[in-house]
């Protein structure tokens, strides 16, 4: 079986071509168990007639040539040939056009009956490697680009979701008597994924068109392009040391700061000050050859003079000095080096050379390196704050954040810490050694973290990123903000951290494949994080809305249905009970509209009744801005019986103290019903998908 593949590939490469002709491509597909219309090579008119007679009519003739890739554009396809004469004259026509153009004959094949035309393809993404594409064929792919992608290998669930994801899915499901065999498409996608996984020499593949029927499918045209470049480099495929060993990076017993300073305003002052001022209980060693102590702590001239092998050494010396310092760290038995100095790959060739040197030093010693050009780690669970910017008091928290950029470890925190409690913030900078995938794996395992946020400019872990992200998303929600979406954004990225952003469509698909929740912007990411970290997941898709303004209740109802949920329905008994506590003028039972007379106590009584309903999976409560403060104690004291509650307060930014206090009470506050419904929708989707995955696994 594989014999054919090797033979066909060897022959093509021997002839100096990477393009496999239709009959060759289809042979490979058929060997892999895929259904095609066949393709028999015939090199004369007589030959073609003989094959056609054997196949039975009607048949199709197509030119076979090493030089013709788009056969019909060049006039090399003859469809629906009904008899021997038609075949004979079609052969002569094709021959007259292609005789001088590398024609080796024609392919004779069955004429497929009409069905839904789809396209299946394979291509290579520079970040994620081989990806498979699925979409509706014909004008749908050309004009609407209605296609979906997944990284190879795909699971059955991936196959299912990539089919459902295209806009034309309802057409496949069945419309006016036309329908497509979804299970057959799934098995086709899985077989192609298998084939490409087995044969890494396959670079691209085009199956276009594939006809899908109410039962089964057939591939009418196929071309495969081989890859002659060298296989994936060893660095890409080398097994990662894994994140289990990263505990000491996040929970160090001892930290040295090389370049710790007594001069206020210097980064070496900031970092050491941060470590001193957040209650870190481990041992601290400032290293500075020109000082006997730093900020009151005994200093050492070199890491080699520090009396123990520290867990973490933070490096703040100029880039050009880092190789020597890192070398000394390794010699002194340091387990993790955190290089916060800037001036590396982002500054051109010399920086890149230094980076290569650093990498080879730490690899040689089995030491791990974070950065360079990063802002270290924050772990509020053990008072570790390594930021280059001074960070004020932080609460312990359950939110993890992974970011390339240091602004998340200081700038954003300044305000965010008032409403969001972070557990771990890991900045990865140029991610020379440790990258986002390592951080995600480690933070995913951390028992103190319930939700992970990621800010990414690109992904270096490739396929491993998907596997790790998928595993972590099963346990806790992962919200990701990926920038560099537009061409302009991409350029900004490469000048910023010397990384190239990948293709956005592939990223979107990969995030979906990995079960990640994609945020639009920072606001959206932290809006999601506030809810995920403070509230339980919705019990079901039924939402109960309480509002003081009819218009906001209606807006909530609309937004709820736009986000894949619905208004919950109370039983007749609960409706009666509710009616007894509602003022006479309140008519609706969901949304409940109290008008401006709404009071905290009315809201409490309403929730206490609604919460008894099985159909109520979550609450949205819209409150008057001017009396927001009056609600805080009441809402805090209600037993929601495991259901989430999100608050909506128009113009919340102008009652910031009350908003902060409400957030501190564990209830996230949004400015509009639309924002609240969108967040709730993401929470429900996360819960639903996780349940779905569990089912598929059993
Ligand atoms: P190319 O893509 O190289 O131009 P194709 O083999 O896809 O050539 O043929 C062009 C079109 O002819 C297809 O899009 C399809 O509509 C039709 N066609 C090709 N092969 C068959 C077949 N075996 N049965 C029915 N229609 C076919
Ligand atoms: Mg084609």
């Amino acid at each position: 079986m594989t014999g054919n593949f090797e033979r066909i590939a060897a022959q093509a490469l021997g002839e100096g071509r990477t393009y496999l002709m239709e009959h060759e491509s289809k042979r490979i597909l058929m060997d892999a168990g895929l259904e095609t219309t066949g393709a028999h090579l015939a090199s004369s008119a007589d030959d073609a007639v003989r094959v056609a007679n054997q196949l039975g009519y009607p048949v199709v003739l197509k030119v076979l040539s090493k030089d013709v890739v788009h056969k019909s554009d060049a006039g090399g396809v003859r469809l629906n040939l009904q008899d021997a004469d038609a075949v004979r004259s079609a052969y002569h026509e094709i021959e007259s056009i292609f005789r001088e153009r590398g024609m080796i004959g024609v392919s004779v094949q069955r004429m497929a009956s009409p069905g839904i035309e789809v396209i299946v393809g394979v291509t290579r993404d520079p970040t994620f490697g081989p990806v498979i594409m699925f979409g509706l064929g014909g004008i749908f792919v050309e004009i609407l680009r209605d296609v979906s992608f997944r990284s190879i290998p795909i699971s059955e669930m991936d196959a299912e979701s990539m089919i459902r994801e295209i806009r034309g899915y309802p057409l496949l499901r069945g419309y006016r008597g036309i329908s497509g065999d979804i299970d057959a498409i799934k098995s086709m996608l899985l077989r192609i994924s298998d084939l490409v996984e087995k044969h890494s020499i396959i670079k691209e593949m085009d199956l276009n068109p594939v006809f899908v029927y109410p039962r089964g499918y057939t591939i009418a045209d196929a071309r495969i392009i081989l890859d002659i470049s060298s296989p994936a480099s060893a660095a890409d495929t080398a097994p990662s040391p894994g994140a289990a060993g990263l505990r000491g990076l996040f929970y160090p017993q001892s930290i040295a700061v090389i370049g710790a300073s007594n001069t206020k305003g210097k980064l070496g002052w900031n970092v050491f000050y941060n470590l001193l001022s957040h209650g870190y209980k481990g041992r601290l060693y400032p290293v500075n050859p020109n000082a006997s102590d730093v900020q009151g702590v005994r200093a050492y001239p070199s890491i080699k003079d520090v009396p123990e092998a520290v867990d973490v050494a933070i490096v703040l010396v100029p880039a050009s000095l880092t190789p020597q310092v890192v070398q000394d760290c390794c010699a002194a038995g340091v387990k993790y080096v955190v290089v916060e100095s800037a001036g590396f790959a982002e500054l051109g060739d010399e920086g890149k050379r230094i980076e290569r040197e650093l990498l080879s030093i730490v690899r040689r010693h089995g030491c791990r390196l974070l950065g360079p050009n990063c802002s270290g780690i924050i772990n509020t669970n053990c008072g570790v704050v390594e930021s280059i910017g001074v960070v004020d008091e932080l609460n312990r928290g359950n939110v993890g954040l992974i970011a390339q950029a240091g602004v998340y470890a200081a700038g954003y925190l300044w305000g965010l810490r008032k409403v969001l409690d972070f557990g771990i913030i890991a900045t990865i900078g140029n991610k020379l050694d440790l990258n986002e995938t390592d951080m995600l794996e480690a933070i995913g395992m951390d028992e103190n973290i319930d939700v992970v946020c990621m800010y990414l400019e690109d992904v270096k872990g490739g396929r491993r990123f998907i596997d790790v992200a998928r595993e972590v998303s099963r346990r806790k929600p992962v919200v990701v903000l990926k920038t560099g979406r537009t061409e302009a954004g991409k350029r900004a990225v490469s000048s910023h951290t010397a990384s190239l952003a990948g293709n956005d469509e592939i990223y979107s698909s990969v995030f979906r494949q990995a079960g990640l929740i994609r945020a639009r912007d920072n606001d959206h990411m932290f809006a999601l994080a506030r809810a995920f970290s403070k509230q339980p997941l919705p019990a079901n898709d039924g939402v109960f809305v309480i509002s003081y303004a009819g218009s906001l209740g209606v807006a909530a109802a609309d937004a709820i249905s736009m986000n894949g949920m619905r208004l919950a329905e109370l039983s007749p008994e609960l409706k009666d009970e509710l009616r007894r506590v509602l003022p006479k003028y309140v008519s609706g039972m969901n949304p409940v509209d109290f008008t401006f007379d709404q009071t905290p106590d009315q809201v409490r009584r309403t929730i206490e009744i609604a919460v008894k309903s099985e159909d109520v999976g979550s609450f949205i409560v819209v409150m008057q801005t001017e009396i927001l403060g009056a609600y805080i104690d009441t809402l805090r004291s209600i037993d929601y019986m495991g259901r989430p509650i999100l608050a909506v307060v128009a113009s919340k930014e102008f009652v910031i103290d009350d908003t902060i206090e409400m957030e501190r009470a564990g209830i996230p506050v949004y400015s509009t019903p639309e924002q609240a419904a969108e967040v709730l929708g993401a929470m429900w989707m996360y819960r639903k998908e996780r349940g779905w995955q569990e089912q598929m696994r059993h």
Side-chain angles (χ1 to χ4, degrees):
M1 296 283 274
T2 37
N4 276 329
F5 185 95
E6 267 76 51
R7 183 180 52 73
I8 292 168
Q11 182 176 350
L13 296 178
E15 290 170 10
R17 64 188 160 98
T18 52
Y19 157 62
L20 301 186
M21 287 175 280
E22 190 197 10
H23 64 303
E24 297 169 321
S25 304
K26 280 184 170 170
R27 176 79 262 150
I28 289 168
L29 296 174
M30 289 186 290
D31 285 351
L34 290 146
E35 305 291 335
T36 79
T37 52
H40 299 268
L41 167 63
S43 32
S44 69
D46 285 345
D47 221 11
V49 169
R50 191 179 46 75
V51 176
N53 284 339
Q54 270 166 18
L55 286 176
Y57 294 89
V59 296
V60 172
L61 255 57
K62 300 180 194 172
V63 63
L64 289 179
S65 160
K66 293 159 193 168
D67 305 329
V68 180
V69 179
H70 300 285
K71 303 176 290 292
S72 58
D73 287 354
V77 176
R78 295 291 181 282
L79 300 172
N80 206 14
L81 306 172
Q82 297 288 347
D83 52 38
D85 285 348
V87 168
R88 198 174 294 281
S89 56
Y91 188 94
H92 290 308
E93 279 167 37
I94 292 176
E95 194 179 35
S96 71
I97 303 173
F98 295 98
R99 189 183 289 126
E100 306 295 321
R101 294 170 59 185
M103 172 166 165
I104 61 162
V106 296
S107 96
V108 186
Q109 62 193 261
R110 261 184 333 100
M111 172 80 191
S113 43
I116 301 173
E117 269 188 53
V118 303
I119 174 169
V120 176
V122 170
T123 184
R124 291 274 184 89
D125 177 74
T127 302
F128 297 103
V131 292
I132 185 166
M133 181 190 82
F134 171 75
L136 288 185
I139 58 157
F140 290 99
V141 63
E142 280 153 31
I143 297 171
L144 302 176
R145 300 171 54 89
D146 187 14
V147 293
S148 58
F149 295 91
R150 290 292 181 276
S151 152
I152 288 174
I154 59 169
S155 66
E156 201 184 327
M157 212 168 62
D158 295 332
E160 168 105 28
S161 65
M162 72 187 289
I163 298 169
R164 283 173 187 255
E165 202 175 291
I166 62 168
R167 275 167 287 157
Y169 174 64
L171 200 69
L172 292 167
R173 276 299 300 272
Y175 179 73
R176 294 197 176 164
I178 308 167
S179 73
D181 188 339
I182 309 267
D183 283 339
I185 303 174
K186 254 167 50 178
S187 89
M188 165 172 57
L189 295 173
L190 285 164
R191 276 177 204 271
I192 290 165
S193 166
D194 264 5
L195 178 68
V196 174
E197 200 189 357
K198 269 196 211 108
H199 300 287
S200 58
I201 192 176
I202 298 177
K203 184 179 171 204
E204 284 167 42
M205 197 188 283
D206 254 343
L207 312 184
N208 182 23
V210 179
F211 294 103
V212 179
Y213 305 111
R215 285 203 141 174
Y217 68 89
T218 187
I219 299 166
D221 182 30
R223 60 177 147 265
I224 291 175
I225 312 281
L226 302 177
D227 188 14
I228 44 166
S229 67
S230 58
S233 75
D236 291 342
T237 51
S240 151
L246 295 182
R247 189 82 186 168
L249 175 64
F250 292 103
Y251 295 86
Q253 303 286 326
S254 50
I255 304 175
V257 180
I258 299 163
S261 168
N262 280 317
T263 312
K264 225 174 166 174
K266 281 196 158 187
L267 300 186
W269 188 90
N270 291 355
V271 172
F272 204 72
Y273 177 80
N274 280 332
L275 284 166
L276 282 177
S277 59
H278 287 87
Y280 174 61
K281 296 279 187 311
R283 296 171 297 281
L284 283 176
Y285 302 100
V287 173
N288 182 333
N290 306 315
S292 59
D293 76 282
V294 170
Q295 299 178 40
V297 180
R298 181 185 165 180
Y300 297 82
S302 151
I303 184 75
K304 289 182 280 191
D305 303 313
V306 170
E308 67 168 309
V310 297
D311 286 337
V312 169
I314 299 170
V315 177
L316 287 154
V317 302
S320 58
L321 304 179
T322 53
Q324 186 56 52
V325 167
V326 170
Q327 174 67 50
D328 291 349
C329 286
C330 288
V334 172
K335 296 183 195 74
Y336 303 96
V337 186
V338 177
V339 181
E340 300 193 6
S341 328
F344 291 88
E346 69 277 18
L347 291 187
D349 288 346
E350 174 57 9
K352 287 199 175 120
R353 192 196 58 72
I354 299 174
E355 284 198 348
R356 278 195 300 276
E357 197 180 340
L358 289 181
L359 189 59
S360 88
I361 295 167
V362 291
R363 284 279 190 272
R364 213 163 43 237
H365 290 85
C367 172
R368 302 302 306 264
L369 184 145
L370 187 66
N373 187 26
C374 75
S375 193
I377 301 273
I378 291 177
N379 186 349
T380 58
N381 295 291
C382 55
V384 168
V385 176
E386 303 172 353
S387 308
I388 44 179
V390 170
V391 175
D392 291 326
E393 200 182 325
L394 293 173
N395 291 308
R396 275 187 175 215
N398 62 350
V399 178
L401 173 63
I402 299 161
Q404 250 159 307
V407 63
Y408 287 89
Y412 272 104
L413 270 188
W414 197 89
L416 265 179
R417 72 200 164 104
K418 298 190 172 158
V419 293
L420 200 54
D421 292 337
F422 291 93
I424 293 177
I425 298 176
T427 64
I428 53 183
N430 291 5
K431 48 189 175 173
L432 182 58
D433 174 29
L434 291 167
N435 60 32
E436 57 280 308
T437 306
D438 301 310
M439 294 298 120
L440 181 59
E441 191 172 18
I443 294 176
M445 278 191 261
D446 193 292
E447 67 283 1
N448 294 313
I449 302 299
D450 296 327
V451 45
V452 184
C453 295
M454 299 185 89
Y455 166 81
L456 297 175
E457 288 166 3
D458 70 347
V459 168
K460 274 193 180 157
R463 176 70 202 197
R464 195 180 142 245
F465 173 79
I466 301 175
D467 296 336
V468 166
R470 182 180 263 182
E471 204 42 52
V472 173
S473 324
R474 280 200 184 110
R475 276 174 277 135
K476 49 190 84 165
V478 181
V479 181
V480 43
L481 171 60
K482 159 84 173 67
T483 57
R485 295 174 87 142
T486 61
E487 284 305 314
K490 266 184 210 172
R491 274 193 297 278
V493 165
S494 36
S495 61
H496 177 39
T497 48
S499 54
L500 278 170
N503 171 304
D504 195 61
E505 273 160 21
I506 306 289
Y507 271 105
S508 285
S509 314
V510 156
F511 290 163
R512 235 168 275 143
Q513 186 169 9
L516 303 178
I517 300 157
R518 186 165 191 180
R520 272 188 307 279
D521 50 32
N522 278 295
D523 252 13
H524 189 209
M525 177 160 76
F526 295 122
L528 288 161
R530 284 186 285 124
F532 273 115
S533 65
K534 296 175 192 194
Q535 290 288 321
L537 297 175
N540 60 45
D541 59 346
V543 186
F544 196 87
V545 179
I546 300 170
S547 172
Y548 73 91
S551 63
L552 295 176
V554 172
D558 284 352
I560 283 165
S561 79
M562 276 167 60
N563 284 284
M565 294 172 300
R566 61 183 173 82
L567 290 172
E569 179 76 27
L570 297 189
S571 65
E573 297 76 39
L574 286 175
K575 275 187 183 161
D576 282 343
E577 203 179 330
L578 186 55
R579 213 168 275 124
R580 282 196 291 276
V581 308
L582 293 179
K584 286 281 166 294
Y585 55 82
V586 176
S587 50
M589 290 283 152
N590 185 15
V592 173
D593 170 14
F594 280 108
T595 77
F596 265 81
D597 294 336
Q598 175 175 288
T599 67
D601 200 50
Q602 283 170 332
V603 169
R604 179 182 57 74
R605 277 185 292 174
T606 306
I607 290 175
E608 282 170 355
I609 292 168
V611 86
K612 291 193 253 179
S613 166
E614 287 277 305
D615 202 50
V616 173
S618 60
F619 291 93
I620 291 180
V621 179
V622 187
M623 284 164 279
Q624 304 97 310
T625 313
E626 61 277 20
I627 57 163
L628 175 59
Y631 281 94
I632 296 166
D633 284 338
T634 309
L635 291 194
R636 193 196 335 245
S637 66
I638 297 171
D639 178 5
Y640 299 93
M641 309 198 14
R643 266 75 138 225
I645 170 178
L646 308 191
V648 174
V649 179
S651 306
K652 66 164 185 167
E653 60 273 36
F654 302 112
V655 287
I656 200 66
D657 291 342
D658 289 344
T659 299
I660 291 171
E661 211 182 321
M662 186 66 93
E663 291 273 356
R664 282 268 153 244
I667 299 172
V669 185
Y670 301 94
S671 301
T672 65
E674 289 85 352
Q675 283 169 12
E678 189 186 25
V679 167
L680 205 52
M683 294 170 87
W684 168 237
M685 179 74 85
Y686 175 71
R687 164 146 204 175
K688 210 169 58 172
E689 268 182 16
R690 203 161 59 167
W692 194 41
Q693 281 182 6
E694 288 309 313
Q695 267 175 23
M696 297 282 284
R697 288 172 107 192
H698 296 130

